[in-house]
Amino acid sequence: MTERISEIIAERRALEVRQAWGTVLGTREGRLVMWSILERCHVFARTHYGNDLDGFREGQREVGLMILNERIFPHDVRAFAAMQIEHAELMDRIQLAAEQQAEKETADE
């Protein structure tokens, strides 16, 4: 395989990956999945608790920051803002539903 063919393959693959990220970030469901991955990567939390897992959690955080800096922000920085708003709205809905459920359970006792 020539060097030029390798370059073309890399360029086409990069385009496919960018388009796939656009698809993911273009839907509420995709943004929710990405938010859950960022949460799991400790992007929004501390990683150092003074124990053996600190390095592991920091490595996970590095992956989350890479996703933000290399995939989400370059695609559309507004996607992250949408993710933040959607997450806050989701948590409000979950909080309200939990309160209503607890109230109903108390009333049923």
Side-chain angles (χ1 to χ4, degrees):
M1 187 171 5
T2 69
E3 186 175 323
R4 181 60 188 141
I5 291 174
S6 295
E7 290 172 2
I8 292 169
I9 290 170
E11 290 167 4
R12 288 184 179 202
R13 183 179 185 288
L15 176 62
E16 291 286 333
V17 169
R18 278 193 306 278
Q19 290 172 341
W21 275 95
T23 299
V24 169
L25 295 173
T27 66
R28 178 180 283 271
E29 294 82 4
R31 290 187 297 272
L32 176 59
V33 168
M34 287 311 309
W35 187 271
S36 71
I37 291 169
L38 295 175
E39 283 181 320
R40 183 68 176 96
C41 289
H42 312 285
V43 170
F44 312 116
R46 68 184 211 177
T47 58
H48 295 283
Y49 293 89
N51 61 38
D52 293 342
L53 294 175
D54 287 355
F56 180 72
R57 284 188 297 270
E58 188 58 28
Q60 290 177 319
R61 187 169 186 275
E62 266 310 301
V63 171
L65 292 174
M66 182 275 306
I67 290 169
L68 273 175
N69 291 319
E70 294 180 16
R71 298 298 180 180
I72 295 173
F73 291 153
H75 172 73
D76 182 359
V77 74
R78 292 173 299 205
F80 183 70
M83 290 166 59
Q84 290 176 300
I85 292 166
E86 291 163 0
H87 181 261
E89 291 170 349
L90 172 66
M91 294 310 295
D92 287 346
R93 288 193 310 273
I94 290 172
Q95 176 73 31
L96 179 60
E99 290 169 0
Q100 290 172 343
Q101 180 178 343
E103 186 177 297
K104 183 180 182 307
E105 289 172 0
T106 302
D108 289 344
E109 291 177 354

Short mmCIF file of all heavy atoms in Angstrom, two decimals, residues 50-105:
data_model
loop_
_atom_site.label_atom_id
_atom_site.label_comp_id
_atom_site.label_asym_id
_atom_site.label_seq_id
_atom_site.Cartn_x
_atom_site.Cartn_y
_atom_site.Cartn_z
N GLY A 50 -6.91 9.88 48.15
CA GLY A 50 -5.82 9.39 48.98
C GLY A 50 -5.78 7.88 49.13
O GLY A 50 -5.38 7.37 50.17
N ASN A 51 -6.22 7.18 48.07
CA ASN A 51 -6.16 5.72 48.14
C ASN A 51 -5.59 5.15 46.85
O ASN A 51 -5.22 5.88 45.94
CB ASN A 51 -7.54 5.12 48.48
CG ASN A 51 -8.60 5.44 47.44
OD1 ASN A 51 -8.34 5.46 46.24
ND2 ASN A 51 -9.81 5.70 47.90
N ASP A 52 -5.58 3.84 46.77
CA ASP A 52 -4.95 3.16 45.64
C ASP A 52 -5.64 3.40 44.30
O ASP A 52 -5.06 3.17 43.25
CB ASP A 52 -4.90 1.65 45.89
CG ASP A 52 -3.95 1.27 47.03
OD1 ASP A 52 -3.11 2.11 47.39
OD2 ASP A 52 -4.08 0.15 47.55
N LEU A 53 -6.88 3.84 44.32
CA LEU A 53 -7.63 4.04 43.07
C LEU A 53 -7.47 5.43 42.48
O LEU A 53 -8.00 5.71 41.41
CB LEU A 53 -9.11 3.73 43.30
CG LEU A 53 -9.45 2.28 43.63
CD1 LEU A 53 -10.92 2.13 43.94
CD2 LEU A 53 -9.04 1.37 42.48
N ASP A 54 -6.74 6.31 43.14
CA ASP A 54 -6.59 7.68 42.65
C ASP A 54 -6.04 7.72 41.22
O ASP A 54 -6.57 8.43 40.36
CB ASP A 54 -5.66 8.49 43.56
CG ASP A 54 -6.31 8.88 44.87
OD1 ASP A 54 -7.51 8.59 45.06
OD2 ASP A 54 -5.61 9.46 45.72
N GLY A 55 -4.99 6.98 40.96
CA GLY A 55 -4.38 6.96 39.62
C GLY A 55 -5.33 6.41 38.58
O GLY A 55 -5.41 6.91 37.46
N PHE A 56 -6.07 5.38 38.94
CA PHE A 56 -7.05 4.78 38.03
C PHE A 56 -8.14 5.79 37.67
O PHE A 56 -8.47 5.98 36.50
CB PHE A 56 -7.65 3.54 38.67
CG PHE A 56 -8.66 2.85 37.81
CD1 PHE A 56 -8.28 2.13 36.69
CD2 PHE A 56 -10.01 2.92 38.12
CE1 PHE A 56 -9.21 1.50 35.88
CE2 PHE A 56 -10.96 2.28 37.33
CZ PHE A 56 -10.56 1.57 36.21
N ARG A 57 -8.69 6.45 38.70
CA ARG A 57 -9.74 7.46 38.45
C ARG A 57 -9.20 8.62 37.63
O ARG A 57 -9.89 9.14 36.76
CB ARG A 57 -10.33 7.95 39.77
CG ARG A 57 -11.29 6.97 40.42
CD ARG A 57 -11.99 7.59 41.61
NE ARG A 57 -11.07 7.95 42.67
CZ ARG A 57 -10.71 7.15 43.67
NH1 ARG A 57 -11.21 5.92 43.76
NH2 ARG A 57 -9.86 7.57 44.58
N GLU A 58 -7.97 9.02 37.88
CA GLU A 58 -7.39 10.13 37.11
C GLU A 58 -7.20 9.72 35.65
O GLU A 58 -7.38 10.52 34.75
CB GLU A 58 -6.07 10.59 37.73
CG GLU A 58 -5.50 11.84 37.09
CD GLU A 58 -6.43 13.05 37.12
OE1 GLU A 58 -7.26 13.19 38.02
OE2 GLU A 58 -6.29 13.90 36.21
N GLY A 59 -6.86 8.45 35.41
CA GLY A 59 -6.77 7.95 34.04
C GLY A 59 -8.12 7.98 33.35
O GLY A 59 -8.22 8.36 32.18
N GLN A 60 -9.16 7.60 34.07
CA GLN A 60 -10.51 7.68 33.51
C GLN A 60 -10.86 9.13 33.18
O GLN A 60 -11.45 9.42 32.13
CB GLN A 60 -11.54 7.10 34.49
CG GLN A 60 -11.45 5.61 34.65
CD GLN A 60 -12.42 5.10 35.69
OE1 GLN A 60 -12.62 5.71 36.74
NE2 GLN A 60 -13.04 3.97 35.40
N ARG A 61 -10.48 10.03 34.08
CA ARG A 61 -10.76 11.46 33.86
C ARG A 61 -10.04 11.97 32.61
O ARG A 61 -10.59 12.76 31.84
CB ARG A 61 -10.35 12.27 35.08
CG ARG A 61 -10.76 13.73 35.01
CD ARG A 61 -10.56 14.40 36.36
NE ARG A 61 -11.09 15.74 36.32
CZ ARG A 61 -10.41 16.79 35.89
NH1 ARG A 61 -9.16 16.66 35.48
NH2 ARG A 61 -10.97 17.99 35.86
N GLU A 62 -8.80 11.52 32.40
CA GLU A 62 -8.06 11.89 31.20
C GLU A 62 -8.82 11.50 29.95
O GLU A 62 -8.87 12.25 28.97
CB GLU A 62 -6.69 11.22 31.18
CG GLU A 62 -5.53 11.98 31.73
CD GLU A 62 -5.39 13.39 31.20
OE1 GLU A 62 -5.24 13.61 29.98
OE2 GLU A 62 -5.40 14.30 32.04
N VAL A 63 -9.41 10.31 29.94
CA VAL A 63 -10.19 9.86 28.79
C VAL A 63 -11.40 10.77 28.59
O VAL A 63 -11.69 11.21 27.48
CB VAL A 63 -10.64 8.39 28.96
CG1 VAL A 63 -11.64 7.99 27.87
CG2 VAL A 63 -9.44 7.47 28.95
N GLY A 64 -12.09 11.11 29.68
CA GLY A 64 -13.25 12.00 29.59
C GLY A 64 -12.86 13.37 29.06
O GLY A 64 -13.57 13.95 28.21
N LEU A 65 -11.75 13.91 29.53
CA LEU A 65 -11.29 15.21 29.05
C LEU A 65 -10.89 15.15 27.58
O LEU A 65 -11.13 16.10 26.82
CB LEU A 65 -10.13 15.72 29.90
CG LEU A 65 -10.51 16.08 31.34
CD1 LEU A 65 -9.25 16.42 32.15
CD2 LEU A 65 -11.51 17.22 31.39
N MET A 66 -10.30 14.03 27.16
CA MET A 66 -9.96 13.85 25.75
C MET A 66 -11.23 13.85 24.90
O MET A 66 -11.27 14.49 23.85
CB MET A 66 -9.19 12.55 25.55
CG MET A 66 -8.74 12.29 24.12
SD MET A 66 -9.95 11.49 23.01
CE MET A 66 -10.42 10.05 23.89
N ILE A 67 -12.27 13.16 25.37
CA ILE A 67 -13.54 13.15 24.63
C ILE A 67 -14.07 14.57 24.49
O ILE A 67 -14.48 14.98 23.40
CB ILE A 67 -14.56 12.23 25.33
CG1 ILE A 67 -14.15 10.77 25.20
CG2 ILE A 67 -15.96 12.46 24.78
CD1 ILE A 67 -14.95 9.81 26.07
N LEU A 68 -14.05 15.33 25.58
CA LEU A 68 -14.51 16.72 25.52
C LEU A 68 -13.68 17.56 24.56
O LEU A 68 -14.21 18.23 23.67
CB LEU A 68 -14.44 17.36 26.90
CG LEU A 68 -15.62 17.19 27.82
CD1 LEU A 68 -15.31 17.80 29.19
CD2 LEU A 68 -16.86 17.82 27.24
N ASN A 69 -12.37 17.52 24.74
CA ASN A 69 -11.48 18.42 24.00
C ASN A 69 -11.24 18.02 22.55
O ASN A 69 -11.01 18.90 21.71
CB ASN A 69 -10.13 18.54 24.73
CG ASN A 69 -10.29 19.29 26.03
OD1 ASN A 69 -11.00 20.27 26.11
ND2 ASN A 69 -9.62 18.81 27.06
N GLU A 70 -11.28 16.72 22.26
CA GLU A 70 -10.97 16.28 20.90
C GLU A 70 -12.20 15.92 20.08
O GLU A 70 -12.10 15.81 18.85
CB GLU A 70 -10.01 15.09 20.94
CG GLU A 70 -8.65 15.46 21.49
CD GLU A 70 -7.69 14.28 21.54
OE1 GLU A 70 -7.95 13.25 20.87
OE2 GLU A 70 -6.67 14.39 22.25
N ARG A 71 -13.33 15.69 20.73
CA ARG A 71 -14.52 15.24 19.99
C ARG A 71 -15.72 16.17 20.15
O ARG A 71 -16.31 16.59 19.17
CB ARG A 71 -14.91 13.82 20.43
CG ARG A 71 -13.85 12.79 20.15
CD ARG A 71 -13.58 12.68 18.67
NE ARG A 71 -12.54 11.69 18.42
CZ ARG A 71 -12.12 11.40 17.22
NH1 ARG A 71 -12.61 12.01 16.17
NH2 ARG A 71 -11.18 10.50 17.05
N ILE A 72 -16.07 16.50 21.38
CA ILE A 72 -17.29 17.28 21.60
C ILE A 72 -17.07 18.75 21.27
O ILE A 72 -17.81 19.33 20.47
CB ILE A 72 -17.80 17.09 23.04
CG1 ILE A 72 -18.23 15.63 23.24
CG2 ILE A 72 -18.97 18.05 23.32
CD1 ILE A 72 -18.59 15.27 24.66
N PHE A 73 -16.07 19.39 21.88
CA PHE A 73 -15.85 20.81 21.63
C PHE A 73 -15.55 21.13 20.16
O PHE A 73 -16.13 22.06 19.62
CB PHE A 73 -14.74 21.37 22.53
CG PHE A 73 -15.11 21.44 23.99
CD1 PHE A 73 -14.14 21.36 24.96
CD2 PHE A 73 -16.43 21.56 24.40
CE1 PHE A 73 -14.46 21.42 26.31
CE2 PHE A 73 -16.77 21.62 25.75
CZ PHE A 73 -15.77 21.56 26.69
N PRO A 74 -14.67 20.37 19.49
CA PRO A 74 -14.42 20.68 18.08
C PRO A 74 -15.65 20.50 17.19
O PRO A 74 -15.82 21.20 16.19
CB PRO A 74 -13.32 19.71 17.67
CG PRO A 74 -12.66 19.32 18.92
CD PRO A 74 -13.74 19.35 19.96
N HIS A 75 -16.50 19.55 17.56
CA HIS A 75 -17.70 19.32 16.74
C HIS A 75 -18.64 20.52 16.86
O HIS A 75 -19.05 21.09 15.86
CB HIS A 75 -18.41 18.04 17.18
CG HIS A 75 -19.73 17.88 16.50
ND1 HIS A 75 -19.83 17.54 15.18
CD2 HIS A 75 -20.98 18.05 16.95
CE1 HIS A 75 -21.11 17.51 14.84
NE2 HIS A 75 -21.82 17.82 15.90
N ASP A 76 -19.01 20.85 18.09
CA ASP A 76 -19.93 21.97 18.32
C ASP A 76 -19.94 22.25 19.81
O ASP A 76 -20.51 21.48 20.58
CB ASP A 76 -21.34 21.61 17.83
CG ASP A 76 -22.33 22.74 17.99
OD1 ASP A 76 -21.95 23.82 18.49
OD2 ASP A 76 -23.50 22.55 17.62
N VAL A 77 -19.31 23.31 20.22
CA VAL A 77 -19.21 23.64 21.64
C VAL A 77 -20.61 23.81 22.24
O VAL A 77 -20.81 23.58 23.43
CB VAL A 77 -18.32 24.89 21.87
CG1 VAL A 77 -19.02 26.15 21.45
CG2 VAL A 77 -17.87 24.96 23.31
N ARG A 78 -21.60 24.14 21.43
CA ARG A 78 -22.97 24.28 21.95
C ARG A 78 -23.55 22.94 22.35
O ARG A 78 -24.48 22.89 23.16
CB ARG A 78 -23.85 24.96 20.91
CG ARG A 78 -23.47 26.43 20.69
CD ARG A 78 -24.25 27.00 19.56
NE ARG A 78 -23.91 26.23 18.35
CZ ARG A 78 -24.00 26.68 17.13
NH1 ARG A 78 -24.44 27.89 16.91
NH2 ARG A 78 -23.67 25.93 16.11
N ALA A 79 -23.03 21.86 21.82
CA ALA A 79 -23.51 20.53 22.20
C ALA A 79 -23.28 20.28 23.68
O ALA A 79 -24.13 19.71 24.37
CB ALA A 79 -22.83 19.45 21.36
N PHE A 80 -22.14 20.74 24.20
CA PHE A 80 -21.87 20.57 25.62
C PHE A 80 -22.82 21.41 26.45
O PHE A 80 -23.33 20.93 27.48
CB PHE A 80 -20.41 20.92 25.95
CG PHE A 80 -20.07 20.69 27.38
CD1 PHE A 80 -19.99 19.41 27.89
CD2 PHE A 80 -19.84 21.76 28.23
CE1 PHE A 80 -19.69 19.18 29.22
CE2 PHE A 80 -19.54 21.54 29.57
CZ PHE A 80 -19.46 20.26 30.06
N ALA A 81 -23.09 22.62 26.02
CA ALA A 81 -24.06 23.46 26.73
C ALA A 81 -25.43 22.79 26.73
O ALA A 81 -26.12 22.78 27.75
CB ALA A 81 -24.13 24.85 26.10
N ALA A 82 -25.82 22.22 25.60
CA ALA A 82 -27.10 21.50 25.53
C ALA A 82 -27.09 20.32 26.48
O ALA A 82 -28.10 20.05 27.16
CB ALA A 82 -27.36 21.04 24.10
N MET A 83 -25.98 19.62 26.57
CA MET A 83 -25.86 18.48 27.47
C MET A 83 -26.06 18.92 28.92
O MET A 83 -26.76 18.25 29.69
CB MET A 83 -24.50 17.80 27.32
CG MET A 83 -24.33 17.06 26.02
SD MET A 83 -22.63 16.58 25.64
CE MET A 83 -22.17 15.58 27.01
N GLN A 84 -25.47 20.06 29.29
CA GLN A 84 -25.61 20.57 30.65
C GLN A 84 -27.07 20.90 30.96
O GLN A 84 -27.59 20.53 32.01
CB GLN A 84 -24.75 21.81 30.85
CG GLN A 84 -23.27 21.52 30.86
CD GLN A 84 -22.46 22.80 30.95
OE1 GLN A 84 -22.55 23.67 30.10
NE2 GLN A 84 -21.67 22.90 32.00
N ILE A 85 -27.71 21.61 30.06
CA ILE A 85 -29.11 22.00 30.26
C ILE A 85 -30.00 20.77 30.33
O ILE A 85 -30.85 20.64 31.22
CB ILE A 85 -29.56 22.96 29.14
CG1 ILE A 85 -28.83 24.29 29.27
CG2 ILE A 85 -31.08 23.15 29.15
CD1 ILE A 85 -28.94 25.18 28.04
N GLU A 86 -29.81 19.86 29.39
CA GLU A 86 -30.63 18.65 29.36
C GLU A 86 -30.44 17.81 30.62
O GLU A 86 -31.40 17.24 31.15
CB GLU A 86 -30.33 17.84 28.11
CG GLU A 86 -30.80 18.51 26.85
CD GLU A 86 -30.18 17.98 25.57
OE1 GLU A 86 -29.36 17.04 25.63
OE2 GLU A 86 -30.53 18.51 24.50
N HIS A 87 -29.22 17.74 31.12
CA HIS A 87 -28.96 16.98 32.34
C HIS A 87 -29.67 17.63 33.53
O HIS A 87 -30.28 16.94 34.35
CB HIS A 87 -27.47 16.85 32.61
CG HIS A 87 -27.18 16.07 33.85
ND1 HIS A 87 -26.88 16.66 35.04
CD2 HIS A 87 -27.19 14.73 34.08
CE1 HIS A 87 -26.71 15.73 35.96
NE2 HIS A 87 -26.88 14.55 35.40
N ALA A 88 -29.59 18.94 33.63
CA ALA A 88 -30.27 19.64 34.72
C ALA A 88 -31.79 19.42 34.65
O ALA A 88 -32.43 19.15 35.68
CB ALA A 88 -29.95 21.13 34.67
N GLU A 89 -32.35 19.49 33.45
CA GLU A 89 -33.78 19.26 33.28
C GLU A 89 -34.14 17.82 33.66
O GLU A 89 -35.17 17.57 34.31
CB GLU A 89 -34.20 19.55 31.85
CG GLU A 89 -34.14 21.02 31.49
CD GLU A 89 -34.34 21.30 30.00
OE1 GLU A 89 -34.32 20.34 29.19
OE2 GLU A 89 -34.50 22.48 29.67
N LEU A 90 -33.32 16.87 33.24
CA LEU A 90 -33.56 15.47 33.58
C LEU A 90 -33.54 15.26 35.08
O LEU A 90 -34.42 14.60 35.64
CB LEU A 90 -32.50 14.57 32.91
CG LEU A 90 -32.52 13.10 33.31
CD1 LEU A 90 -33.82 12.43 32.84
CD2 LEU A 90 -31.30 12.39 32.75
N MET A 91 -32.56 15.82 35.75
CA MET A 91 -32.47 15.66 37.20
C MET A 91 -33.65 16.32 37.90
O MET A 91 -34.14 15.79 38.90
CB MET A 91 -31.13 16.20 37.71
CG MET A 91 -29.93 15.39 37.20
SD MET A 91 -30.07 13.59 37.42
CE MET A 91 -30.08 13.47 39.19
N ASP A 92 -34.13 17.44 37.39
CA ASP A 92 -35.33 18.08 37.96
C ASP A 92 -36.53 17.16 37.82
O ASP A 92 -37.32 17.00 38.76
CB ASP A 92 -35.62 19.42 37.27
CG ASP A 92 -34.65 20.52 37.66
OD1 ASP A 92 -33.90 20.35 38.65
OD2 ASP A 92 -34.64 21.55 36.95
N ARG A 93 -36.70 16.55 36.63
CA ARG A 93 -37.82 15.63 36.42
C ARG A 93 -37.71 14.41 37.33
O ARG A 93 -38.71 13.96 37.91
CB ARG A 93 -37.88 15.18 34.95
CG ARG A 93 -38.36 16.24 34.00
CD ARG A 93 -38.71 15.69 32.61
NE ARG A 93 -37.70 14.83 32.00
CZ ARG A 93 -36.68 15.27 31.27
NH1 ARG A 93 -36.52 16.57 31.05
NH2 ARG A 93 -35.82 14.42 30.74
N ILE A 94 -36.52 13.87 37.48
CA ILE A 94 -36.31 12.70 38.34
C ILE A 94 -36.60 13.06 39.79
O ILE A 94 -37.25 12.30 40.52
CB ILE A 94 -34.89 12.14 38.16
CG1 ILE A 94 -34.77 11.49 36.77
CG2 ILE A 94 -34.54 11.15 39.27
CD1 ILE A 94 -33.36 11.07 36.41
N GLN A 95 -36.13 14.23 40.23
CA GLN A 95 -36.37 14.69 41.60
C GLN A 95 -37.87 14.81 41.87
O GLN A 95 -38.37 14.32 42.88
CB GLN A 95 -35.68 16.04 41.84
CG GLN A 95 -35.95 16.64 43.20
CD GLN A 95 -35.23 15.93 44.32
OE1 GLN A 95 -34.15 15.38 44.11
NE2 GLN A 95 -35.82 15.92 45.50
N LEU A 96 -38.59 15.45 40.96
CA LEU A 96 -40.04 15.61 41.11
C LEU A 96 -40.74 14.26 41.15
O LEU A 96 -41.61 14.02 42.00
CB LEU A 96 -40.59 16.47 39.97
CG LEU A 96 -42.10 16.72 39.99
CD1 LEU A 96 -42.52 17.42 41.27
CD2 LEU A 96 -42.52 17.52 38.76
N ALA A 97 -40.37 13.36 40.26
CA ALA A 97 -40.98 12.03 40.22
C ALA A 97 -40.69 11.27 41.52
O ALA A 97 -41.58 10.59 42.05
CB ALA A 97 -40.47 11.24 39.02
N ALA A 98 -39.49 11.39 42.05
CA ALA A 98 -39.14 10.71 43.30
C ALA A 98 -39.95 11.26 44.46
O ALA A 98 -40.43 10.50 45.31
CB ALA A 98 -37.64 10.85 43.57
N GLU A 99 -40.10 12.57 44.50
CA GLU A 99 -40.89 13.19 45.57
C GLU A 99 -42.35 12.74 45.48
O GLU A 99 -42.96 12.43 46.51
CB GLU A 99 -40.78 14.72 45.49
CG GLU A 99 -39.42 15.23 45.87
CD GLU A 99 -39.23 16.71 45.55
OE1 GLU A 99 -40.17 17.36 45.02
OE2 GLU A 99 -38.14 17.23 45.83
N GLN A 100 -42.90 12.71 44.27
CA GLN A 100 -44.28 12.27 44.09
C GLN A 100 -44.45 10.81 44.48
O GLN A 100 -45.44 10.44 45.11
CB GLN A 100 -44.73 12.51 42.65
CG GLN A 100 -44.89 13.97 42.31
CD GLN A 100 -45.14 14.21 40.83
OE1 GLN A 100 -44.89 13.35 39.99
NE2 GLN A 100 -45.61 15.41 40.50
N GLN A 101 -43.50 9.97 44.10
CA GLN A 101 -43.57 8.56 44.45
C GLN A 101 -43.50 8.37 45.97
O GLN A 101 -44.27 7.59 46.54
CB GLN A 101 -42.44 7.78 43.77
CG GLN A 101 -42.46 6.29 44.09
CD GLN A 101 -41.36 5.53 43.38
OE1 GLN A 101 -40.77 6.02 42.41
NE2 GLN A 101 -41.07 4.34 43.85
N ALA A 102 -42.58 9.07 46.62
CA ALA A 102 -42.45 8.96 48.08
C ALA A 102 -43.71 9.44 48.77
O ALA A 102 -44.17 8.82 49.75
CB ALA A 102 -41.24 9.75 48.55
N GLU A 103 -44.29 10.52 48.26
CA GLU A 103 -45.54 11.05 48.82
C GLU A 103 -46.66 10.02 48.68
O GLU A 103 -47.44 9.79 49.61
CB GLU A 103 -45.90 12.35 48.13
CG GLU A 103 -47.08 13.08 48.72
CD GLU A 103 -47.32 14.39 48.02
OE1 GLU A 103 -46.44 15.26 48.07
OE2 GLU A 103 -48.42 14.53 47.42
N LYS A 104 -46.77 9.41 47.52
CA LYS A 104 -47.80 8.40 47.26
C LYS A 104 -47.61 7.20 48.17
O LYS A 104 -48.57 6.66 48.74
CB LYS A 104 -47.78 7.97 45.80
CG LYS A 104 -48.87 6.97 45.43
CD LYS A 104 -48.78 6.58 43.98
CE LYS A 104 -49.86 5.63 43.56
NZ LYS A 104 -49.99 4.43 44.36
N GLU A 105 -46.37 6.74 48.33
CA GLU A 105 -46.09 5.60 49.19
C GLU A 105 -46.46 5.90 50.63
O GLU A 105 -46.97 5.04 51.35
CB GLU A 105 -44.62 5.19 49.06
CG GLU A 105 -44.28 4.56 47.73
CD GLU A 105 -42.80 4.32 47.52
OE1 GLU A 105 -41.99 4.65 48.43
OE2 GLU A 105 -42.42 3.83 46.44
#
